[in-house]
Amino acid sequence: KAGVTQTPRYLIKTRGQQVTLSCSPISGHRSVSWYQQTPGQGLQFLFEYFSETQRNKGNFPGRFSGRQFSNSRSEMNVSTLELGDSALYLCASSLSGEGSSGNTIYFGEGSWLTVV
Amino acid sequence: GDSVTQMEGPVTLSEEAFLTINCTYTATGYPSLFWYVQYPGEGLQLLLKATKADDKGSNKGFEATYRKETTSFHLEKGSVQVSDSAVYFCALIRVSNYKLTFGKGTLLTVNP
């Protein structure tokens, strides 16, 4: 069974540009969530989607957006990139997003974004 | 709001030593609790989980017990190996919140 797949794995962007990251969840999983990991702030929640609906959103500026498609694949977009957006962006998937018994949340390998 | 506090690292141990990484949490209701592990350059892997009070999660020799009275979920292993060297994250999620809240992580280094 394939795991959570994130693309691209590594990318370098210039300040002011925008970036789109993609996430393919485990087959059958309908919940996809995104996290940003930095040395200073640790792991921070960006947003969560289930059946194309955003159910929760973290405290990030409006430059950070996401969406989920009917096949449960998800994308996140960051516009007008800033140096501080350099981070590892992690996608996670699960059956329902609850983390309850029998509903494990699995993470992908992440997309390493460097903004120069 | 929800929060997770775990012991500051780094933690350095010799092979076969006993490991404890403390984790306490603040959350309303009855969250599910997790330990995730991150190896260098990789994403997060679920190590173990517990979804209700007094549950014990275990995997690969690691254990943690959900203690509601002390709001704790300490990670233990009786005999660590060099291959256990990684960053360990304690996390929680509340029902209908869909958001994992993580601690800051504890870097464990095991020397031969």
Side-chain angles (χ1 to χ4, degrees):
Chain A
K1 184 172 178 179
V4 180
T5 303
Q6 293 188 242
T7 56
R9 288 294 317 279
Y10 305 92
L11 64 166
I12 300 174
K13 291 286 188 178
T14 303
R15 273 182 301 174
Q17 287 187 315
Q18 73 164 8
V19 66
T20 299
L21 308 178
S22 180
C23 173
S24 293
I26 292 171
S27 178
H29 285 190
R30 296 169 66 188
S31 168
V32 173
S33 52
W34 291 88
Y35 294 81
Q36 181 196 62
Q37 185 176 22
T38 59
Q41 299 299 315
L43 282 153
Q44 294 187 287
F45 171 77
L46 283 156
F47 22 67
E48 189 268 357
Y49 290 88
F50 183 85
S51 293
E52 302 179 70
T53 299
Q54 186 183 88
R55 297 191 295 186
N56 199 355
K57 185 178 189 303
N59 295 323
F60 279 81
R63 301 184 297 106
F64 291 80
S65 63
R67 59 178 176 169
Q68 187 181 33
F69 302 96
S70 58
N71 62 358
S72 294
R73 192 177 68 84
S74 177
E75 289 181 347
M76 65 163 284
N77 182 277
V78 187
S79 62
T80 320
L81 284 165
E82 302 177 358
L83 295 178
D85 297 332
S86 295
L88 176 64
Y89 290 87
L90 291 164
C91 172
S93 81
S94 67
L95 290 170
S96 70
E98 295 279 9
S100 55
S101 181
N103 185 22
T104 299
I105 299 173
Y106 296 92
F107 281 80
E109 296 286 297
S111 292
W112 289 91
L113 170 66
T114 301
V115 182
V116 298
Chain B
D2 300 339
S3 68
V4 174
T5 303
Q6 59 182 104
M7 63 187 288
E8 297 284 330
V11 174
T12 303
L13 296 172
S14 298
E15 206 164 25
E16 299 184 2
F18 184 84
L19 169 71
T20 299
I21 301 178
N22 291 335
C23 171
T24 58
Y25 69 90
T26 301
T28 55
Y30 300 92
S32 293
L33 303 175
F34 308 85
W35 278 100
Y36 280 88
V37 59
Q38 186 173 38
Y39 298 99
E42 299 185 9
L44 299 175
Q45 297 178 25
L46 178 67
L47 183 58
L48 52 83
K49 66 187 280 189
T51 57
K52 61 183 186 296
D54 300 323
D55 265 2
K56 176 184 281 189
S58 61
N59 185 28
K60 299 180 182 179
F62 291 90
E63 293 183 340
T65 301
Y66 189 144
R67 301 289 187 197
K68 183 70 175 173
E69 63 276 13
T70 54
T71 61
S72 65
F73 193 54
H74 305 320
L75 181 68
E76 296 182 336
K77 186 175 185 182
S79 177
V80 294
Q81 306 300 311
V82 173
S83 58
D84 294 327
S85 298
V87 180
Y88 292 80
F89 293 93
C90 184
L92 69 82
I93 192 168
R94 285 191 287 114
V95 172
S96 299
N97 185 252
Y98 316 117
K99 161 191 167 183
L100 279 164
T101 298
F102 288 91
K104 292 191 178 297
T106 302
L107 172 62
L108 170 67
T109 302
V110 181
N111 295 318

